[in-house]
Amino acid sequence: MYRWLAVLRFLLVANTVGLNIYRDGFSRPVVAAVVLAGLVVWTCVVSWAYHDYSRRTTAWVLADMAVALAAMAMTGVVKDPGFTSTLPGFWVMGALFAWAIHWHLQGGIAAAVLLSVGDFATRHYLSETVYGNLFLLLVGGPIVGLMVDSLLRSAARTARAERAAAAATERTRLARAVHDGVLQALALVQRRAPELGPDGVALGRLAGEQEQALRTLIRQQDAVDESSLDAIDLVGALSALEHRAGVTVAAPPDAVLVEATWARDVVAVVSACLDNVVAHVGADAPAWVLLEAAPEELHVSVRDEGPGIPEGRLEEAERQGRLGVASSIRGRVAELGGRAELTTGGFGTEWELCFPREPGSGSP
C-alpha cells in the first residue's frame, strides 16, 4: 500500500506544480515557488522513508501531516485575497492516505478532520466547491482505512489457510512414507505372528494395536494449532475420535480442509451419535465412522451393530424432554445446512449425515 501511495504522491505533486504554474494570482510568487519546491522534495523524502518497513514509524506519519497543514497554511501568505484554491491542492491526499494506511479507520477519520479544519481555517469561508472538497476528505479517509483493515484481515486468513494446507500436505507425505514402511511391517507381523504360538498371538495383537494407533497418529496434524486457523483438516478432526473405545474411522487419504468452526460442529454431531452408541449399546461396543468427500458435499456415516432403536422410541424421548437426537444431532445438522437420515433395525443403527462443503450453502 505504501509503495502504491508513493506512485500516487508523484502524480499529485506533478498535478499541484502544473496547476500552480497555470494559475496566477500570487502576491508572492517567489515564496510560492519555494513552497512548491519544498513539496517536491518532501514527496521524494517521505516516499523513500515509507519504502522500507523499518522506517514506517509514527514520527514520519505525523511529520507528513504537519507538512501538509503547513503548506495549506501558506496559501494565505503567497496568494492574493479571495483565492479559490489552496496552494497544495490535492497533494494533501498523500498525508490523508498515509494516516489511513498506518492507523486504519481511526487514522483516516482523524486525518480527514485535521485537513478539513485546516482547509476551512485557511479560507475562512464555506462554498459549494469547498464543501465538496471537505466531503471527499471526510469520506475518502475512512474508506481507505476500512479497505486497509479488510486487506490485512484477508491476508491473515490467506496466510493461515496456506499454513494449514502446507501442514496437511506434509502430513499426507509422511503418511505415505509410513504406510510404505512401518505400517506394512506391522501388518505382516500381525498376520504371521500367530504361527509362533501363544507368544506370537500376543505379539500379533500388540502389532495390530500399534498399527491402529499409528494410523490415527498420522492422520492428525499435531503440529498445527487448529484453534488459530480458519481452515482445518476434517480428516484429522474425525480421526481423533478413534481414541474412544471401539471407534474406527475411515476417511480419504488426503486432507479435507474446511472452516474450523464448521468442522468442530460436524465433529460434535458425530460425537453425539457415538455417545448414543455408548449409552444404548455399550461402552466398548464397536462403531464405525466413514467420511466421503464429494466436490460439493461431505457425507459422514456413523454405524453400530447394536439392537437398533425401537419404533416410536425417538418420538417418546422427545415428548419426555430428552432432546439428544432432536437437538444434538438433527438440530445441529439442520443449522449447518445439511440433512440427517436414520436407518435402524435388528442389524444395528446407522446415521447418514450430509453436509455442504461451504457453510451456509445447503438447503434450508
Side-chain angles (χ1 to χ4, degrees):
M1 294 293 293
Y2 277 108
R3 290 171 183 172
W4 283 109
L5 177 59
V7 175
L8 176 62
R9 281 182 181 277
F10 284 105
L11 292 175
L12 291 173
V13 77
N15 176 75
T16 297
V17 172
L19 285 178
N20 280 285
I21 292 175
Y22 173 76
R23 294 168 179 162
D24 53 12
F26 287 99
S27 60
R28 298 178 180 178
V30 176
V31 178
V34 171
V35 174
L36 290 175
L39 295 183
V40 173
V41 172
W42 178 254
T43 298
C44 297
V45 171
V46 78
S47 298
W48 166 84
Y50 289 156
H51 182 76
D52 188 83
Y53 177 80
S54 62
R55 293 192 295 266
R56 295 169 192 167
T57 61
T58 301
W60 279 107
V61 180
L62 293 175
D64 202 5
M65 178 59 68
V67 171
L69 293 174
M72 193 180 294
M74 288 297 295
T75 303
V77 176
V78 301
K79 283 197 170 187
D80 295 330
F83 59 86
T84 58
S85 61
T86 60
L87 181 64
F90 291 113
W91 182 86
V92 298
M93 290 172 56
L96 173 70
F97 293 157
W99 276 49
I101 295 172
H102 191 76
W103 284 303
H104 306 169
L105 175 62
Q106 295 81 0
I109 295 174
V113 171
L114 286 173
L115 291 172
S116 298
V117 171
D119 186 275
F120 181 76
T122 300
R123 299 175 187 270
H124 303 291
Y125 68 89
L126 184 64
S127 65
E128 183 176 350
T129 301
V130 174
Y131 169 78
N133 293 337
L134 299 183
F135 180 79
L136 290 177
L137 286 174
L138 293 171
V139 171
I143 287 179
V144 173
L146 286 173
M147 180 185 68
V148 172
D149 192 47
S150 177
L151 286 173
L152 290 175
R153 287 199 303 269
S154 177
R157 286 194 298 267
T158 301
R160 287 195 293 268
E162 288 176 349
R163 289 196 299 270
T169 301
E170 179 64 11
R171 178 188 60 78
T172 301
R173 186 188 67 81
L174 293 175
R176 289 169 179 166
V178 171
H179 180 271
D180 292 341
V182 180
L183 288 179
Q184 290 188 3
L186 288 174
L188 178 62
V189 171
Q190 183 182 9
R191 186 168 59 251
R192 301 292 298 273
E195 300 175 3
L196 302 177
D199 291 339
V201 173
L203 178 62
R205 184 174 63 254
L206 179 61
E209 294 174 355
Q210 294 301 311
E211 178 190 4
Q212 184 62 39
L214 186 56
R215 287 185 185 276
T216 301
L217 180 62
I218 63 178
R219 284 174 178 171
Q220 300 179 34
Q221 300 182 40
D222 295 333
V224 180
D225 180 10
E226 294 185 347
S227 63
S228 65
L229 299 177
D230 286 339
I232 65 175
D233 182 13
L234 185 59
V235 173
L238 288 176
S239 296
L241 297 174
E242 288 191 328
H243 292 299
R244 303 174 61 144
V247 176
T248 301
V249 178
D254 296 326
V256 178
L257 294 178
V258 296
E259 183 181 295
T261 304
W262 184 86
R264 284 191 284 269
D265 285 338
V266 172
V267 173
V269 173
V270 176
S271 296
C273 295
L274 297 175
D275 290 340
N276 284 338
V277 175
V278 173
H280 302 291
V281 184
D284 297 325
W288 293 266
V289 178
L290 172 64
L291 170 64
E292 297 178 285
E296 297 183 355
E297 291 184 326
L298 295 175
H299 300 272
V300 182
S301 63
V302 183
R303 181 174 61 86
D304 65 64
E305 294 182 343
I309 302 175
E311 185 176 355
R313 181 69 184 90
L314 295 180
E315 291 76 8
E316 179 184 354
E318 187 171 352
R319 287 194 299 270
Q320 295 174 353
R322 301 165 63 182
L323 304 177
V325 170
S327 178
S328 298
I329 299 177
R330 285 176 172 158
R332 185 176 271 124
V333 170
E335 290 177 358
L336 295 174
R339 58 184 184 275
E341 298 178 0
L342 174 64
T343 305
T344 185
F347 55 85
T349 300
E350 182 173 5
W351 282 99
E352 290 285 346
L353 312 172
C354 182
F355 306 95
R357 289 294 290 257
E358 294 293 333
S361 62
S363 57

